[in-house]
Amino acid sequence: MDGRGITAATVNQPTHFMVDSRGQGEPSVIITAVNGDLVPVSISDRKNGIYRVEYTTKSLGDHKAVIKFHGQEIPNSPFNIKVYQVNQVKVRDMPVGMVGVSATFLVDASEAGSGNLEVSVNNGALPASAEALGGNRYAVSFTPLEAVSHRVELTFNGEPVPGSPFNIRVEKGARPAIDVSRVAVLGDAFGKVPVGKIVTFTVDPRDAGSADCAVIITSPAKQVVPCRVSKPSTGSKFYVEFMLTEVGEHTVVVRYGGQPVSGSPFICKAYDVQMVRVTDTAFATVGQQSSFLIDASNAGTGNLEIIISVAENMKIPNYVQNEGSARFRVSFKPVECRIHFISVKFNGIPVPGSPFRCDVVESSGILATGEGLRRNPVGKMAMFLIDPRGSSLHDIQVTCVAPSAQKVPLDISGTSKLKVEYMPGEVGVYKISILCAGRDVQGSPFLCQVYDSTRVKVSRIGPGTVGVPIRFQVDSSEAGEGSLSVDVSCKGRKVDPLVHQVGEGLYDVEFTPKESAPHVVEVSWNNELVRGHAFTCDVADGSKCIATGLGLVKTPIHELASFEIDPRGSASAEVDVIITSPTGRLVECQVYRSKSKLYRAEYRPGEVGSHKIDVTYNDVSIPGSPFIAEVYDFNRIKVLTIEDGVIGQPLGFRVDASQAGYGVVEPEVQVRGHDVPFRKVNEGNNVFTVNFTPQEPSVHQVFIKFNGHPLKGSPFNVTVREFAITQQQTHIGLMHEPGHIVASGKGLKGGRVGDHAWFVAELHGAEGQLETFITAPNGSHIAAKQLRQRDGDYKIDWTPTMPGRYQIDVMQNSRATMGSPFFAEVYDPSRVIIEDVTRAVIGQESGFRVVYKDAGRADLLVSITSPTNRNVPFAIHEGTGYHYITYLPQEAGKHRIIVTYGGDDVPRSPLTVSVEEAQVGMVMPTGDGLYRGQVEEEAHFVVHGLKEQPTVRVDGPNSIAKVNMRQESDQTWKVFYTPIETGIFQIKIFGNGREITGSPYHPTVTDPRRVKVVGGWHSIMDANNRLYLRVGEEKRIPFDISEAGPGEIMADVEGPHGQVAVTVERQSDTRRRVCFTPPAEGPYEVSLFWNKVPLPKSPMEGYASLSSPARSPVAPPRGSATRHITEMTTTSNRHVVGSEMSSRQEGSSRYIETSSRHIEGGTAKVILRGHGLQEARTKQDAEFVIDGSQCTSGKPVATLQSTSKSGLVIPVETEQIDNNVYRCVYTANTPGTYLLNIMWGDRHVSGSPYKVNVTGSLCDPNKVTLTGEGLKGGVIGRELIAKIDTRRAGPGELTAHCMGPQKVAYCELFDHHDGTYTLNIKPQEAGKHMLHVKYDGEHVPSTQSLTAA
């Protein structure tokens, strides 16, 4: 035997070995996988008696190779072959080492198959140890002796693991402040641990130094197990509590001061004694070998203790045989005819039912045998025999009682032996009594279990999808006692099912099909086939399906739209189509199957906008799903100002399609059947101006289509004459009061950088000096030239020099004129950047990013045109300072993308993108996770067409998401990731050594939970948790969306008589306000969405009344605060004050009620709540709410004053957010103690002034310095090195981020633990890079610009 293939092999890779037959002819070779499947083998003759055996296996684990000549196995056959997959070896927790301190990291080979792990540090110069943690997981440790980079090489079965060799940085220094080698972990939590019980252990730091203790427990399913780490106020020990719920090995990592303690990770082996099953213990015979079965396969790791006894002090020997998979057969031989008791314990705990009673009968005397005494199906004759063994047959009496207590007729025959037959007619336990001379014989009464397999209920099985588990249920609760067996096969090959008992007589069964073909499922009860036949389960392959049709792209409103789904030869399965409108409503869709085996989906949309179409085939999304269909309404298009004209004079009209949805306006002008040239100008927001100059005195026809549909009234007739008809025109102007200056003109609104701008100041008889001051965004002054006109007015000229917001002050005699100051928005299209343009493939989402953060404010317009001159629908995802545009191309070829900013082309526009056709066999990712996600919720997508596991990287704006993968079928992988922040993410997918077509993808990640009501949800709700509403009064709900990620708020209000008009106002980039007015009294339901995802409080209920609703005090969420209730009784000359103090848990905010009683009668309360009543941070907004909704009059006044000598007064901004409810905001720049004065009307509220502690950062980012040659630039692939010194800045957190023209450069910070840091930057592309360094969350002086060549 020769060759590596006889000892080891890699999954999905051909391997071989050689066999020397020594003249015996061709060998017979059978290779069996761990699951019992045969592995195809190819044998070729290499002459001279040498044969080459080649094979490729798809299964991990130990394989057996049997080699025979002429039917006889050769020596050492069968051979054991270790099959593995080295790229499944994962290395985690690579440390930063320190001289003389043990460095430990984890190697997880649990999914890599069988093999040997080898570790080498510095080519073997430094010893290393690998501690087995169980389940093919290892903790590798070594102790560095010098402060140099250490090279760690890891091999698995001789092959380098991914990433090997690893370089571990080792730092030099004295003994660390924390010595984890002195930390002791105490307790009996490690080893065998029962599930469902609280387990504890202690971490004793001893004299290791003061630090935090962290514990991470990971289950066998790779899930984190919750645990509680506590430390009493006195003492240094940490106490850890946790409870395991899953059977198997758990890994417990204990870190002290961020370093693993000695022995970490620890192993907990969880077991469940309730999962141990003991069967066949009922009867035994004296002198004969008896046995029973113990099944602990689902109970976890443990020790069995078996005791068989007759009396307390008399034990019977037993013998245990291991039948595999934690199943054991226990044998014993009774020596006397007495009741025996069988005690079974698992890890010292009695198993369910223990001790078990075993009735032992004599081997001599009357003997009754037969299945009719033990088990029999209903409706089938049961039979047993009675051997009298010398007793008289006349003395034997037999009775049988059914479960219903009715006697069962018996047919008894025979002369030497009695044959007893009876027909059981019901399910249950039959009691059979056999008496001799009036006494029960041994074993009597016998209990026969009668069952009925026809009562076993099997739920619907399938149809299924390749790679997706098929689950069904079996209910035998009405079938009587018995055992269940399930067999699944496909094309004669066995498919392993998993059977879980979930209750008494209830089972869950699942299996995973691997090919698209009918699967045969046989369900048997007591070896009887349920229903008398096998079940057939059709299995389809959804990855083969394609969907086509205009209904997937665009369709008019209220008209029937359709598209087709082609299974392309896949098995018949259920097609499900879910269509979601822009407001989140479901659109009814009918799916039909035609004779050609195609599926046709039809729907009728009722809203304008983007509709999401999810298409699943057997509950699996087909490639390209979800699709986006644009619904439009051409009846909403307005054609304005089409008037008659004169030849040679330009004519024009406007087409307003802003409310019609996405589409193409197609004008056409004809005269006498000939086309007339025209010019179409896009004014933005789908509004167009069409201009043409007629050359013939005749009626011109104007045809207008929208997405190919003629508009109502089209064609429009325009009469053109040879000369103009004079008409007296009336001019209607604005009347201005004499003596007031009026400024007007485009120059007050803004314009483009460098363009000449002007406006006019009309004096209207005003006298005095006119002055104009223009201030740029950076605070500099812009020269304004005032030119006196003939009519006495002024023309003011100026030229903007930079983008941003300008302030224009127009003054007369040093006083502001009407409308002054004016604000002008100036933009610079040359500063708009188009980046991250992805490769485009038909049917796959592509996109690009438009960055305008440094370009000022202007309208951004985008158009995408296909090779056939059709407009391609696209979606805009709004980010901070940029938009990300995505589109789904349907044609191959060059697509033209035009991007304008303020009506001007931006750099790189127009842009040409070549769309490729999807190739057969190409890698194709599909799924919602490629396009959108939510914070802390698992998103996923599927990669089709790869045999090897793909490499996937998911990068957020400031984080890298953890990625997990699961192989669904031979060439299909399901990818999971969980984002931890909002923003536009980047997903890069690599397969077969290169980035796949269409990568990278840019999903939009949002967090609806972070959409907050300004002032808190409680500020808009009453004591019954309903909205305050009043008929005819506008309800305004302000929202803070600063932390919710890219998106927009949508609202839907349902009143007692149907839909209520609702608007969403954009107050700023981070604020929105939902407004609506209840038209009638009654209940209302308000649904709120962020990016079509319902907010946590949505829908909300409210009730609108004709009068002001009674408002009860509403508290914020529970926490800790103090409640003050003060009653003030006012007379003409005196007031009496009483107070009541009570503790109340109300969040970390303060909650105050002030109750005032007036002489006229009535009581009103002012409620204060919010963090800003107690504390604030410097340079950060602090908020609180004043709720005076129960006061009939008055307004609040609030001021904040420092208690220092300066007596600094901080302004408090007050904004009304509801009826007599106000939101207050202030910002303190200096830490210290302040007094917050709050008055309602002309009186202080109770407790005013309040003491507010303002804390601030102890660091000064302005004192951080950056030095080094790396700040001047460098070369791609080489690290740029910079030094950062924070010693003069005080304590704080240092972060660094470097962005190139399109890609993020890798940054690595090394802390020297003396206030200085080394920053290594590795650019990934040539061009200008921006380096941002923050200290304690604030930018350090001067953002650095680097250039990589």
Side-chain angles (χ1 to χ4, degrees):
M1 305 297 298
D2 186 24
R4 179 173 178 272
I6 195 62
T7 58
T10 302
V11 169
N12 295 323
Q13 290 188 12
T15 188
H16 72 277
F17 58 88
M18 312 298 288
V19 179
D20 186 352
S21 68
R22 299 187 178 181
Q24 296 297 314
E26 183 175 323
S28 167
V29 180
I30 299 175
I31 300 178
T32 309
V34 67
N35 60 2
D37 290 347
L38 296 180
V39 178
V41 173
S42 173
I43 303 176
S44 57
D45 189 353
R46 292 305 179 92
K47 308 300 182 183
N48 299 322
I50 304 297
Y51 290 86
R52 175 187 171 99
V53 180
E54 187 170 343
Y55 63 95
T56 302
T57 180
K58 298 181 180 180
S59 303
L60 290 171
D62 289 346
H63 287 46
K64 300 292 183 184
V66 177
I67 303 176
K68 297 181 180 180
F69 282 97
H70 307 299
Q72 298 293 323
E73 289 190 41
I74 67 173
N76 299 323
S77 175
F79 297 88
N80 188 49
I81 303 174
K82 296 182 180 296
V83 180
Y84 62 95
Q85 194 167 10
V86 71
N87 60 9
Q88 290 295 319
V89 180
K90 304 294 187 300
V91 181
R92 297 185 284 117
D93 298 340
M94 274 293 183
V96 174
M98 183 169 288
V99 174
V101 179
S102 177
T104 304
F105 57 92
L106 301 180
V107 180
D108 185 353
S110 58
E111 298 179 1
S114 304
N116 298 317
L117 179 70
E118 295 180 354
V119 185
S120 173
V121 181
N122 292 348
N123 295 321
L126 200 64
S129 64
E131 179 185 356
L133 304 179
N136 264 12
R137 293 187 293 269
Y138 305 88
V140 180
S141 303
F142 69 94
T143 303
L145 302 177
E146 52 184 334
V148 297
S149 179
H150 284 55
R151 179 187 175 95
V152 178
E153 297 174 272
L154 294 172
T155 60
F156 190 70
N157 287 333
E159 292 188 39
V161 306
S164 179
F166 302 89
N167 290 316
I168 297 180
R169 183 167 58 87
V170 176
E171 295 182 350
K172 186 178 181 181
R175 185 181 188 87
I178 304 300
D179 186 358
V180 294
S181 65
R182 298 174 180 266
V183 178
V185 179
L186 309 172
D188 51 5
F190 310 119
K192 301 182 185 71
V193 176
V195 299
K197 293 186 178 181
I198 295 178
V199 183
T200 63
F201 65 89
T202 305
V203 180
D204 187 354
R206 295 178 180 173
D207 54 352
S210 178
D212 290 331
C213 178
V215 178
I216 301 175
I217 305 175
T218 308
S219 72
K222 305 295 190 303
Q223 300 296 316
V224 175
V225 177
C227 68
R228 187 168 71 92
V229 181
S230 60
K231 181 183 178 183
S233 56
T234 59
S236 60
K237 295 181 181 180
F238 294 85
Y239 298 91
V240 183
E241 289 186 356
F242 61 95
M243 184 171 68
L244 305 181
T245 59
E246 181 181 349
V247 170
E249 288 189 357
H250 292 62
T251 302
V252 182
V253 176
V254 181
R255 293 180 179 270
Y256 189 73
Q259 304 179 50
V261 304
S262 178
S264 178
F266 303 91
I267 297 298
C268 276
K269 297 179 179 179
Y271 66 89
D272 188 354
V273 70
Q274 299 298 321
M275 299 304 293
V276 179
R277 299 288 183 263
V278 182
T279 56
D280 300 334
T281 60
F283 299 103
T285 304
V286 173
Q288 295 184 12
Q289 199 76 16
S290 299
S291 65
F292 57 91
L293 187 66
I294 302 177
D295 184 353
S297 57
N298 296 317
T301 303
N303 299 319
L304 281 171
E305 180 184 340
I306 306 160
I307 299 176
I308 304 175
S309 59
V310 178
E312 289 186 5
N313 299 322
M314 184 175 178
K315 298 179 180 178
I316 306 299
N318 62 81
Y319 308 93
V320 181
Q321 179 182 356
N322 190 342
E323 296 191 344
S325 300
R327 292 179 175 87
F328 305 90
R329 182 164 295 279
V330 183
S331 302
F332 68 99
K333 184 183 291 186
V335 295
E336 57 181 306
C337 182
R338 295 172 62 184
I339 296 175
H340 288 51
F341 292 95
I342 301 173
S343 170
V344 180
K345 294 182 180 180
F346 188 70
N347 287 331
I349 303 174
V351 305
S354 179
F356 303 91
R357 169 175 168 162
C358 178
D359 292 325
V360 178
V361 299
E362 286 282 1
S363 58
S364 58
I366 294 176
L367 179 64
T369 58
E371 282 299 309
L373 295 172
R374 296 178 178 270
R375 178 177 295 169
N376 203 82
V378 72
K380 184 179 179 181
M381 189 67 71
M383 186 270 292
F384 58 91
L385 298 175
I386 301 175
D387 186 353
R389 293 190 174 183
S391 299
S392 172
L393 294 179
H394 299 287
D395 294 333
I396 297 176
Q397 295 177 318
V398 184
T399 60
C400 178
V401 180
S404 59
Q406 298 294 321
K407 284 192 175 183
V408 179
L410 300 175
D411 184 4
I412 303 176
S413 59
T415 54
S416 59
K417 293 182 179 180
L418 296 181
K419 178 181 179 182
V420 182
E421 292 180 305
Y422 65 96
M423 177 66 74
E426 57 182 301
V427 171
V429 178
Y430 282 67
K431 183 179 179 181
I432 302 171
S433 299
I434 303 177
L435 290 83
C436 182
R439 298 180 63 185
D440 280 310
V441 303
Q442 289 293 338
S444 177
F446 298 91
L447 302 178
C448 179
Q449 300 287 350
V450 174
Y451 62 91
D452 187 353
S453 62
T454 64
R455 292 194 181 184
V456 176
K457 301 173 184 177
V458 181
S459 67
R460 181 185 177 190
I461 305 177
T465 303
V466 171
V468 178
I470 297 175
R471 298 178 176 88
F472 62 94
Q473 291 73 43
V474 178
D475 181 356
S476 65
S477 57
E478 297 178 359
E481 288 292 327
S483 59
L484 175 73
S485 63
V486 181
D487 294 307
V488 184
S489 62
C490 176
K491 296 181 179 178
R493 292 186 291 272
K494 183 180 178 182
V495 178
D496 291 330
L498 295 175
V499 181
H500 306 282
Q501 186 171 1
V502 295
E504 191 68 34
L506 300 175
Y507 302 85
D508 282 346
V509 185
E510 73 172 58
F511 63 93
T512 303
K514 296 183 178 179
E515 53 186 316
S516 178
H519 284 54
V520 178
V521 181
E522 295 181 343
V523 180
S524 300
W525 186 251
N526 290 329
N527 296 321
E528 287 188 14
L529 207 57
V530 173
R531 299 188 188 176
H533 62 83
F535 301 88
T536 300
C537 173
D538 291 327
V539 176
D541 190 353
S543 64
K544 297 179 180 179
C545 298
I546 60 172
T548 56
L550 202 59
L552 291 172
V553 182
K554 60 182 179 181
T555 185
I557 194 171
H558 301 313
E559 292 190 12
L560 192 66
S562 66
F563 57 91
E564 290 185 336
I565 300 104
D566 184 356
R568 299 175 72 184
S570 182
S572 175
E574 182 178 352
V575 172
D576 193 13
V577 179
I578 299 176
I579 303 177
T580 310
S581 74
T583 58
R585 297 177 179 272
L586 295 180
V587 179
E588 183 179 357
C589 180
Q590 300 291 334
V591 180
Y592 310 93
R593 188 174 189 187
S594 64
K595 294 181 180 179
S596 58
K597 296 186 178 180
L598 298 180
Y599 294 86
R600 180 180 178 85
E602 295 180 348
Y603 67 99
R604 195 180 299 273
E607 298 179 35
V608 169
S610 299
H611 285 57
K612 176 184 172 185
I613 303 178
D614 291 283
V615 182
T616 57
Y617 192 70
N618 222 14
D619 294 331
V620 176
S621 294
I622 71 171
S625 179
F627 303 91
I628 301 297
E630 297 293 342
V631 177
Y632 56 91
D633 187 354
F634 49 82
N635 291 318
R636 295 190 185 183
I637 297 176
K638 300 176 183 178
V639 182
L640 310 174
T641 326
I642 297 186
E643 297 179 349
D644 297 343
V646 179
I647 60 173
Q649 298 294 323
L651 287 176
F653 58 90
R654 297 177 77 231
V655 181
D656 183 353
S658 59
Q659 303 300 316
Y662 183 82
V664 181
V665 174
E666 303 170 275
E668 185 179 1
V669 183
Q670 289 185 355
V671 60
R672 297 177 181 176
H674 302 291
D675 290 336
V676 176
F678 64 88
R679 183 169 179 261
K680 184 176 77 171
V681 179
N682 189 344
E683 297 182 1
N685 197 27
N686 238 14
V687 178
F688 301 86
T689 299
V690 181
N691 300 302
F692 67 97
T693 302
Q695 302 297 328
E696 298 182 44
S698 180
V699 175
H700 287 57
Q701 289 186 306
V702 178
F703 298 85
I704 303 176
K705 294 181 179 180
F706 187 73
N707 288 337
H709 295 269
L711 300 190
K712 185 177 181 181
S714 177
F716 303 91
N717 292 330
V718 179
T719 302
V720 177
R721 299 179 174 86
E722 292 184 0
F723 54 88
I725 298 177
T726 304
Q727 294 182 352
Q728 186 176 359
Q729 299 181 358
T730 302
H731 296 276
I732 301 176
L734 293 173
M735 302 300 294
H736 299 286
E737 187 178 344
H740 284 263
I741 294 177
V742 178
S744 62
K746 291 186 177 179
L748 290 173
K749 298 180 180 179
R752 184 172 58 185
V753 169
D755 284 1
H756 174 70
W758 60 272
F759 59 92
V760 174
E762 301 175 62
L763 299 184
H764 294 286
E767 297 181 357
Q769 184 180 2
L770 180 72
E771 295 177 295
T772 304
F773 303 97
I774 302 178
T775 307
N778 61 358
S780 63
H781 293 285
I782 303 298
K785 188 176 181 181
Q786 297 184 166
L787 302 174
R788 189 70 178 258
Q789 306 297 298
R790 290 182 181 180
D791 56 5
D793 295 336
Y794 282 87
K795 177 184 178 185
I796 294 92
D797 289 329
W798 67 288
T799 303
T801 59
M802 63 187 300
R805 195 180 205 193
Y806 287 70
Q807 179 173 321
I808 303 174
D809 292 276
V810 182
M811 315 288 289
Q812 178 200 14
N813 296 330
S814 300
R815 296 181 62 185
T817 64
M818 185 173 61
S820 179
F822 303 91
F823 295 96
E825 295 291 345
V826 175
Y827 67 94
D828 186 354
S830 66
R831 296 195 180 191
V832 178
I833 301 171
I834 300 177
E835 62 183 19
D836 290 348
V837 181
T838 62
R839 291 180 64 184
V841 179
I842 290 178
Q844 295 189 32
E845 187 176 75
S846 303
F848 56 92
R849 190 192 309 268
V850 180
V851 181
Y852 55 84
K853 63 180 179 180
D854 298 323
R857 296 183 65 178
D859 290 332
L860 175 68
L861 298 177
V862 178
S863 68
I864 306 175
T865 310
S866 72
T868 57
N869 208 30
R870 295 185 178 182
N871 282 321
V872 179
F874 59 87
I876 298 179
H877 309 276
E878 185 177 349
T880 304
Y882 67 90
H883 283 162
Y884 193 80
I885 288 84
T886 58
Y887 62 98
L888 194 70
Q890 302 294 327
E891 302 177 38
K894 294 182 177 180
H895 285 55
R896 192 166 185 256
I897 300 175
I898 298 176
V899 180
T900 62
Y901 200 65
D904 298 305
D905 284 332
V906 305
R908 294 187 69 183
S909 177
L911 176 70
T912 300
V913 175
S914 294
V915 177
E916 305 171 6
E917 291 188 1
Q919 302 296 322
V920 177
M922 74 180 298
V923 180
M924 180 179 293
T926 60
D928 208 45
L930 293 169
Y931 311 117
R932 57 195 61 85
Q934 291 188 47
V935 171
E936 296 179 356
E937 290 194 12
E938 187 176 69
H940 65 269
F941 58 91
V942 178
V943 180
H944 306 271
L946 275 179
K947 289 187 177 180
E948 300 293 333
Q949 179 173 323
T951 300
V952 179
R953 182 183 176 95
V954 181
D955 292 333
N958 302 292
S959 64
I960 299 176
K962 183 180 179 181
V963 176
N964 293 314
M965 267 176 269
R966 182 177 73 224
Q967 189 168 10
E968 298 288 289
S969 63
D970 187 33
Q971 296 189 20
T972 303
W973 301 83
K974 196 166 188 178
V975 183
F976 304 87
Y977 69 95
T978 304
I980 61 173
E981 61 173 330
T982 61
I984 304 295
F985 276 54
Q986 176 175 273
I987 299 178
K988 286 193 173 183
I989 306 173
F990 298 86
N992 300 324
R994 62 185 180 88
E995 194 167 2
I996 70 170
T997 300
S999 176
Y1001 294 84
H1002 296 86
T1004 300
V1005 176
T1006 61
D1007 191 349
R1009 301 170 302 177
R1010 296 189 181 181
V1011 177
K1012 303 173 183 175
V1013 172
V1014 177
W1017 289 95
H1018 50 273
S1019 67
I1020 63 172
M1021 313 291 274
D1022 64 13
N1024 297 320
N1025 207 29
R1026 298 191 307 182
L1027 284 171
Y1028 299 112
L1029 299 174
R1030 185 164 61 180
V1031 175
E1033 181 179 284
E1034 185 178 52
K1035 181 67 177 180
R1036 300 173 182 175
I1037 308 176
F1039 287 93
D1040 180 349
I1041 61 170
S1042 57
E1043 299 178 350
E1048 276 301 333
I1049 283 183
M1050 291 186 294
D1052 185 31
V1053 179
E1054 187 81 23
H1057 304 302
Q1059 288 287 324
V1060 176
V1062 60
T1063 60
V1064 179
E1065 298 177 356
R1066 181 188 178 99
Q1067 296 181 296
S1068 68
D1069 288 342
T1070 61
R1071 293 290 170 92
R1072 300 290 187 270
R1073 185 162 66 184
V1074 174
C1075 305
F1076 66 95
T1077 302
E1081 186 177 16
Y1084 286 78
E1085 183 178 87
V1086 179
S1087 300
L1088 298 166
F1089 306 86
W1090 181 252
N1091 262 15
K1092 303 181 182 179
V1093 178
L1095 299 189
K1097 295 282 186 179
S1098 179
M1100 297 183 294
E1101 294 181 351
Y1103 190 90
S1105 59
L1106 296 175
S1107 59
S1108 180
R1111 297 185 60 165
S1112 303
V1114 180
R1118 291 190 172 184
S1120 62
T1122 306
R1123 178 185 180 189
H1124 304 274
I1125 303 178
T1126 304
E1127 288 194 357
M1128 292 178 275
T1129 305
T1130 306
T1131 63
S1132 57
N1133 295 314
R1134 65 189 181 89
H1135 66 272
V1136 181
V1137 179
S1139 65
E1140 174 193 359
M1141 299 292 293
S1142 63
S1143 175
R1144 182 172 179 177
Q1145 301 295 317
E1146 296 292 353
S1148 58
S1149 61
R1150 197 168 190 167
Y1151 181 86
I1152 303 168
E1153 295 180 1
T1154 301
S1155 174
S1156 303
R1157 182 179 295 116
H1158 301 277
I1159 296 175
E1160 295 80 12
T1163 301
K1165 293 182 180 179
V1166 176
I1167 304 172
L1168 309 179
R1169 51 181 171 267
H1171 295 275
L1173 294 168
Q1174 289 180 311
E1175 58 186 6
R1177 292 271 295 177
T1178 57
K1179 301 179 183 179
Q1180 295 183 14
D1181 286 353
E1183 296 184 8
F1184 61 92
V1185 173
I1186 303 176
D1187 185 350
S1189 56
Q1190 297 188 45
C1191 298
T1192 57
S1193 61
K1195 286 188 176 181
V1197 176
T1199 58
L1200 184 72
Q1201 186 172 11
S1202 173
T1203 60
S1204 65
K1205 292 182 180 180
S1206 67
L1208 178 67
V1209 177
I1210 305 297
V1212 179
E1213 296 182 5
T1214 303
E1215 175 191 7
Q1216 185 170 358
I1217 59 176
D1218 204 346
N1219 180 31
N1220 274 354
V1221 179
Y1222 297 83
R1223 171 180 172 267
C1224 302
V1225 181
Y1226 64 86
T1227 305
N1229 294 320
T1230 307
T1233 302
Y1234 290 75
L1235 294 178
L1236 179 60
N1237 295 277
I1238 303 176
M1239 302 180 68
W1240 186 270
D1242 56 352
R1243 300 180 59 195
H1244 277 277
V1245 301
S1246 174
S1248 174
Y1250 302 104
K1251 181 180 177 182
V1252 178
N1253 291 320
V1254 178
T1255 58
S1257 175
L1258 299 177
C1259 69
D1260 185 358
N1262 294 315
K1263 294 183 179 180
V1264 177
T1265 59
L1266 280 74
T1267 58
E1269 292 296 320
L1271 299 176
K1272 300 178 181 179
V1275 179
I1276 296 175
R1278 295 184 184 176
E1279 288 188 343
L1280 309 180
I1281 300 177
K1283 302 294 183 182
I1284 304 177
D1285 190 343
T1286 66
R1287 288 176 291 188
R1288 293 183 178 86
E1293 182 182 8
L1294 181 69
T1295 59
H1297 176 74
C1298 187
M1299 183 68 196
Q1302 295 185 2
K1303 301 179 181 178
V1304 176
Y1306 294 107
C1307 294
E1308 196 170 12
L1309 273 171
F1310 295 103
D1311 187 356
H1312 298 294
H1313 302 289
D1314 59 357
T1316 64
Y1317 298 80
T1318 298
L1319 173 62
N1320 291 343
I1321 308 168
K1322 193 170 184 179
Q1324 305 298 307
E1325 58 181 334
K1328 189 176 182 180
H1329 288 58
M1330 298 302 294
L1331 173 62
H1332 300 274
V1333 179
K1334 291 183 179 181
Y1335 196 61
D1336 211 38
E1338 296 188 29
H1339 286 282
V1340 304
S1342 67
T1343 298
Q1344 297 290 329
S1345 175
L1346 318 175
T1347 302

